[in-house]
Amino acid sequence: SGFYSFILILFSVDVCLSSAGLLWTTPASVRKLFGMEGDGRILQRSKRGWMWNQFFLLEEYTGNDHQYVGKLHSNMDKGNGNVRYVLTGDGAGTLFLIDEKSGDIHATKRLDREEKAMYTLNAKVLDRNTNAELEPDTEFNIKIHDINDNAPKFSKEIYFASVPEMSDVGTTVVTITASDADDQTYGNSAKLVYSILQGQPYFSVDSENGTIKTALPGMDREVKEHYQVVIQAKDMAGQMGGLSGTTTVSITLSDVNDSPPRFANHSFRVTTPESTEVGGAIGRIKADDPDVGRNAEMEYSIVGGHDIFNIVTDQKTQEGVIVIKKVLDYETKKDYEFRVEVRNTYLDARFIHGLQFKDYATVRVTVEDVDEPPVFTRNPYVIEVHEDTAAGSFVGVVSARDLDVINEITSSHHPFRYSIDRHTDLERLFNIDSTNGTITTLKALDREMSKWHNISVVATEINNPGQTTRVPVFIKVLDVNDNAPEFATSYDTFVCENVKAGQLIQTISAVDTDEPQVGHKFVFTISPTNPNFTVVDREDNTANILTRRGGFSRREMSMYFLPVVISDNDYPIQSSTSTLVVRVCACDSRGNMQSCSPEVLPFSEGLTTGALVAILLCVIILLMIVVLFAALRRQRKKEPLIISKEDVRDNVVSYNDEGGGEEDTQAFDIGTLRNPEVMDANKLRRDIIPEMLFPFRRTSPIKDNTDVRDFINGRLQENDSDPTAPPYDSLATYAYEGNGSLAESLSSLESAATEGDHDYDYLSNWGPQFKKLAEMYIGKSPDRET
């Protein structure tokens, strides 16, 4: 046991030295004792984890040189420089460097535990000459020891919280905590202590968990509502030299219903005119409640209720609105007084003891007098008048009074003017006396045109025309028996030729626009001397028309007119005569009508349908012949202009020369004959060879064709002033050839009797335009017609 104690002491020393970063070596005796071979490997039977294979390094080293971490040493190192140490793993060569000869390890820069708390590296022992591994790789850790380099931090710069007013001491408000990035498991670097820097004596904070609680009883929101509390968190368990962080907590006292409503003035006076409509507001009263929200909601009521007034609560303004339940009348009562109660809608059971959450006030209402419009004694008026009332007759009287006048003596100081609204009496049937309201008729009334007349009468104060009142007046027109009865409808009555005497042919009835009080009773009569028909009254305002004889004939009389006298039973009795038209018709054996046309031609019965069709065809053929004949006459040619050679008028010569087609616009120039001024002598015919190289040129003897213009204007005026001219555009042929042609006149008028007296040789000299004439006249026999 003593030996093992010694070994444990050595082991403890080695561990301490290793912890201090001074040495990491394994004595051979210890290695052999715990089953480690010469190469440093652990035997299979041993599973102990060794504690000396790690170094400890403080974070945030502030030295200028590289920080010394520890030393690696192998038993193979005899100190002769033949051993070389090699370092691999996390940060080898960058963060951590090893001296190849001595095995010393240094850190190249400051390390932060909060970034990485431990580094794992491997150490090799090599022969410097052969690079052979002298020992197997050995893994070790470098653990970064924490230092207090991080201050506590709160997640928010300012927190918001609330707590009910009047809360008990120790009532939790809110819990806030800070965080510290230092190692929680090592030392006191991350052990926090909370304290309150601002907010006393109202609040306190739990030093361990940061819970804020109330520290003062009876905190009243109505006195102070908002509080700012500053909380500090300090590490190192609050010891001297620790780091700290602060935050602000904004605490609001939430409202509770701890204050009853109160009237600032317990007496209110309201004034309102008597003309205020029912349901209208006449005033508002308000109680004060320092609470807010739901706790300040109030309800107003009239103590014991009231017949004229009521009070309702305005939920937005929390005011009591006084409204009218009935119409006010200054002349009846002008002063009212009642008591109003106000109370909270919601109560808090903690505060209802010892306090009354209601209050009272007295309201006095004064009614002011208003000039009111006149009021009719009745509304509406219903008046009856007979329809036979003459124009200007009395109908009825309307009357109004002034409510502002208390006694009848002063009523004369407020007279009215009556009038009828003419929009309700467009036909102007009635009139009213503007002073006393007497209604009379302007025209006679007819009940059958209108049974009721609804008019409006307006009463206006003379001293104040703005005060008017209208009342409906219903005038009922009473019936007078002034209309005679007549047929209820138009009857289509016929009688058969083979009818027998006493047979019913029609049942008639009557109508009367009058309305007697006992009902209608009509009497139907016809002339007793009528040989053909008779009437039988059925005693139900209808009557039957019967035949008095049989054997009617359409040839003798196809239609009978039967006068029927209809009388009523009212006073005075009115009667009228209505004519019943009875046609005579051919009927079958059962009395069904077949034909009612009168027989005019005895042979009409033998005319068949085929004969009618043949007659119709003949008429159509005749019409077609007439139309064809008229068309042929329109197309018949007119007589020729020249009937014989004895005709002294100008002969018409047809050349029958078509020219050169549509493009030949120069074959014949009619301008040569009409106006020599515009004749183009250079234009030659293209269908013949010119006989002269240089055609004959001439100048127009007349520069200005005034004769042609005067002639046209003269003829135009004659046609315009001719009363026999057709009333539409027509073609007028003037046939004026002018007076400047070298060929002079070609007319045969005033020429010799025979053609032999003329010499036509000069036509050859007129140019190619007159070649055709030259050929026709030169060398021809005198007796040949041209």
Side-chain angles (χ1 to χ4, degrees):
S1 61
F3 174 76
Y4 282 105
S5 300
F6 175 73
I7 295 301
L8 290 176
I9 292 172
L10 292 178
F11 177 75
S12 300
V13 172
D14 184 56
V15 170
C16 291
L17 292 175
S18 299
S19 300
L22 298 178
L23 178 64
W24 182 62
T25 179
T26 306
S29 59
V30 177
R31 293 166 59 88
K32 183 176 181 181
L33 176 64
F34 288 94
M36 299 184 64
E37 298 178 350
D39 56 2
R41 289 179 298 176
I42 301 176
L43 298 178
Q44 295 295 327
R45 64 177 180 272
S46 178
K47 297 183 179 180
R48 181 184 300 273
W50 306 106
M51 298 300 296
W52 56 80
N53 60 343
Q54 60 180 345
F55 296 98
F56 294 92
L57 180 67
L58 293 177
E59 65 172 337
E60 300 294 338
Y61 173 70
T62 58
N64 296 328
D65 297 333
H66 292 172
Q67 183 179 5
Y68 178 76
V69 178
K71 183 180 181 64
L72 297 179
H73 184 74
S74 174
N75 292 334
M76 303 299 295
D77 187 0
K78 305 300 183 180
N80 54 7
N82 293 328
V83 175
R84 183 165 65 91
Y85 296 94
V86 177
L87 188 65
T88 61
D90 294 340
T94 56
L95 293 179
F96 303 102
L97 300 178
I98 188 171
D99 190 329
E100 294 181 352
K101 295 181 179 180
S102 64
D104 294 336
I105 302 174
H106 294 82
T108 62
K109 64 178 182 179
R110 301 168 59 181
L111 301 178
D112 190 358
R113 188 200 67 83
E114 284 71 37
E115 293 182 2
K116 191 169 184 179
M118 188 173 64
Y119 296 87
T120 302
L121 296 97
N122 293 320
K124 292 183 178 181
V125 180
L126 303 177
D127 187 286
R128 181 178 296 277
N129 297 322
T130 62
N131 279 337
E133 292 188 5
L134 300 179
E135 288 188 12
D137 292 351
T138 302
E139 180 181 273
F140 66 96
N141 298 326
I142 298 178
K143 186 177 181 182
I144 309 300
H145 265 308
D146 182 50
I147 63 174
N148 189 20
D149 59 345
N150 291 280
K153 292 183 179 180
F154 291 94
S155 60
K156 297 179 182 179
E157 294 183 359
I158 184 169
Y159 292 84
F160 296 93
S162 65
V163 62
E165 63 174 333
M166 299 295 177
S167 296
D168 296 333
V169 175
T171 301
T172 300
V173 179
V174 67
T175 299
I176 58 174
T177 57
S179 59
D180 196 326
D182 294 326
D183 192 357
Q184 302 287 336
T185 62
Y186 178 77
N188 295 326
S189 298
K191 186 176 182 180
L192 305 180
V193 174
Y194 298 93
S195 62
I196 183 169
L197 301 182
Q198 177 183 328
Q200 296 174 338
Y202 306 102
F203 301 96
S204 63
V205 63
D206 190 310
S207 61
E208 295 183 359
N209 55 26
T211 300
I212 301 175
K213 300 178 181 180
T214 59
L216 190 68
M219 289 191 294
D220 192 355
R221 185 198 65 84
E222 287 75 28
V223 177
K224 186 176 181 180
E225 184 177 4
H226 301 287
Y227 296 86
Q228 298 291 332
V229 179
V230 178
I231 302 298
Q232 181 189 63
K234 189 174 184 180
D235 58 11
M236 297 298 294
Q239 299 176 5
M240 186 74 68
L243 302 178
S244 64
T246 60
T247 187
T248 301
V249 182
S250 178
I251 301 176
T252 302
L253 297 183
S254 59
D255 185 60
V256 297
N257 191 11
D258 59 339
S259 300
R262 291 289 182 263
F263 285 109
N265 186 2
H266 288 79
S267 179
F268 295 90
R269 181 173 293 276
V270 179
T271 302
T272 180
E274 61 176 333
S275 59
T276 305
E277 298 180 355
V278 175
I282 63 173
R284 289 172 175 256
I285 63 175
K286 190 176 189 310
D288 297 326
D289 191 334
D291 296 324
V292 294
R294 175 179 176 179
N295 298 319
E297 293 183 3
M298 294 175 284
E299 183 179 6
Y300 297 85
S301 62
I302 296 178
V303 178
H306 203 278
D307 296 336
I308 306 299
F309 302 99
N310 189 20
I311 188 168
V312 295
T313 304
D314 189 336
Q315 298 298 332
K316 293 183 178 179
T317 62
Q318 294 299 312
E319 293 177 323
V321 183
I322 303 173
V323 296
I324 297 176
K325 295 169 59 177
K326 293 183 180 180
V327 177
L328 300 177
D329 188 3
Y330 172 83
E331 290 72 25
T332 303
K333 188 175 182 180
K334 54 184 176 182
D335 291 311
Y336 297 89
E337 182 177 323
F338 50 87
R339 197 177 184 203
V340 175
E341 178 187 86
V342 60
R343 63 173 60 200
N344 280 130
T345 305
Y346 303 98
L347 300 177
D348 193 330
R350 297 176 298 171
F351 305 102
I352 60 177
H353 303 290
L355 288 177
Q356 287 203 2
F357 283 80
K358 58 184 177 180
D359 198 8
Y360 300 92
T362 301
V363 179
R364 293 179 176 86
V365 179
T366 301
V367 180
E368 294 180 341
D369 187 25
V370 175
D371 187 9
E372 298 174 290
V375 177
F376 285 93
T377 57
R378 285 190 293 169
N379 190 358
Y381 286 87
V382 179
I383 302 175
E384 295 181 350
V385 61
H386 286 87
E387 64 175 327
D388 60 350
T389 301
S393 301
F394 173 81
V395 175
V397 178
V398 296
S399 177
R401 61 187 182 92
D402 191 353
L403 298 179
D404 298 321
V405 180
I406 300 177
N407 52 62
E408 297 295 333
I409 299 176
T410 59
S411 62
S412 59
H413 298 287
H414 297 81
F416 305 125
R417 183 179 65 252
Y418 298 95
S419 62
I420 295 177
D421 186 355
R422 290 304 174 186
H423 292 90
T424 61
D425 185 24
L426 298 177
E427 298 180 358
R428 292 185 173 270
L429 299 176
F430 304 96
N431 190 26
I432 189 171
D433 191 297
S434 61
T435 303
N436 54 28
T438 301
I439 301 175
T440 56
T441 59
L442 289 176
K443 298 179 182 179
L445 304 179
D446 188 0
R447 191 200 65 84
E448 285 69 38
M449 296 295 295
S450 180
K451 298 179 181 180
W452 286 88
H453 296 278
N454 303 330
I455 63 174
S456 293
V457 175
V458 181
T460 306
E461 289 187 6
I462 295 177
N463 297 332
N464 188 4
Q467 296 294 341
T468 62
T469 303
R470 62 177 58 233
V471 66
V473 179
F474 304 116
I475 301 175
K476 181 180 181 181
V477 182
L478 301 178
D479 184 44
V480 174
N481 191 28
D482 57 349
N483 293 279
E486 58 186 8
F487 278 154
T489 185
S490 178
Y491 296 101
D492 183 14
T493 307
F494 69 93
V495 61
C496 297
E497 289 182 315
N498 56 356
V499 71
K500 297 180 181 179
Q503 185 170 347
L504 174 65
I505 63 172
Q506 184 67 57
T507 299
I508 59 176
S509 63
V511 293
D512 192 343
T513 55
D514 294 323
E515 292 183 357
Q517 297 180 356
V518 297
H520 290 294
K521 180 64 178 71
F522 301 125
V523 177
F524 302 89
T525 58
I526 63 175
S527 175
T529 60
N530 191 314
N532 302 312
F533 305 99
T534 184
V535 63
V536 177
D537 196 336
R538 301 179 58 182
E539 301 297 332
D540 60 353
N541 292 335
T542 62
N544 293 333
I545 304 299
L546 306 177
T547 58
R548 189 178 289 251
R549 66 179 179 87
F552 290 86
S553 176
R554 286 179 294 167
R555 294 183 181 181
E556 296 178 359
M557 183 173 291
S558 61
M559 191 176 298
Y560 292 90
F561 298 93
L562 180 61
V564 179
V565 179
I566 309 173
S567 304
D568 57 17
N569 64 335
D570 205 355
Y571 178 83
I573 296 177
Q574 300 288 340
S575 63
S576 66
T577 301
S578 300
T579 301
L580 183 66
V581 179
V582 182
R583 296 181 297 157
V584 180
C585 301
C587 303
D588 56 13
S589 59
R590 291 179 294 181
N592 297 325
M593 181 181 63
Q594 292 182 338
S595 175
C596 295
S597 300
E599 296 181 354
V600 179
L601 300 175
F603 54 86
S604 61
E605 295 180 355
L607 192 61
T608 62
T609 304
L612 293 176
V613 173
I615 293 173
L616 182 60
L617 290 175
C618 292
V619 173
I620 294 174
I621 292 172
L622 290 175
L623 289 176
M624 293 177 62
I625 292 174
V626 172
V627 173
L628 182 60
F629 181 74
L632 292 176
R633 286 186 62 87
R634 286 178 176 269
Q635 295 180 359
R636 189 165 44 176
K637 295 182 179 180
K638 298 181 179 180
E639 294 181 356
L641 182 62
I642 302 177
I643 301 176
S644 66
K645 63 181 180 178
E646 301 298 334
D647 195 341
V648 297
R649 292 175 292 181
D650 292 344
N651 297 333
V652 178
V653 179
S654 177
Y655 295 152
N656 295 327
D657 189 353
E658 297 181 356
E662 293 182 358
E663 296 181 356
D664 185 10
T665 60
Q666 300 178 356
F668 294 98
D669 190 359
I670 194 75
T672 305
L673 297 177
R674 294 185 176 178
N675 190 358
E677 187 75 13
V678 299
M679 181 181 65
D680 188 357
N682 294 327
K683 295 180 180 179
L684 302 178
R685 288 188 58 176
R686 292 176 291 181
D687 58 339
I688 60 174
I689 300 175
E691 295 181 355
M692 294 182 295
L693 183 61
F694 301 97
F696 176 75
R697 279 183 172 272
R698 63 181 177 83
T699 59
S700 175
I702 302 177
K703 298 299 183 181
D704 188 8
N705 297 322
T706 57
D707 56 337
V708 177
R709 183 169 63 253
D710 294 342
F711 173 77
I712 293 175
N713 292 333
R715 293 300 297 272
L716 182 61
Q717 293 178 3
E718 291 177 5
N719 281 271
D720 290 342
S721 59
D722 187 4
T724 62
Y728 50 82
D729 294 342
S730 60
L731 179 63
T733 304
Y734 299 152
Y736 179 71
E737 63 184 42
N739 56 2
S741 175
L742 297 177
E744 298 180 353
S745 177
L746 300 180
S747 175
S748 61
L749 300 177
E750 299 180 359
S751 61
T754 62
E755 296 179 355
D757 297 338
H758 297 281
D759 185 8
Y760 300 104
D761 294 335
Y762 60 86
L763 295 175
S764 301
N765 300 326
W766 286 0
Q769 292 88 345
F770 298 93
K771 182 178 179 181
K772 197 70 173 180
L773 291 175
E775 292 177 355
M776 293 174 62
Y777 286 91
I778 297 176
K780 303 296 181 179
S781 59
D783 57 348
R784 184 176 178 181
E785 290 186 357
T786 302

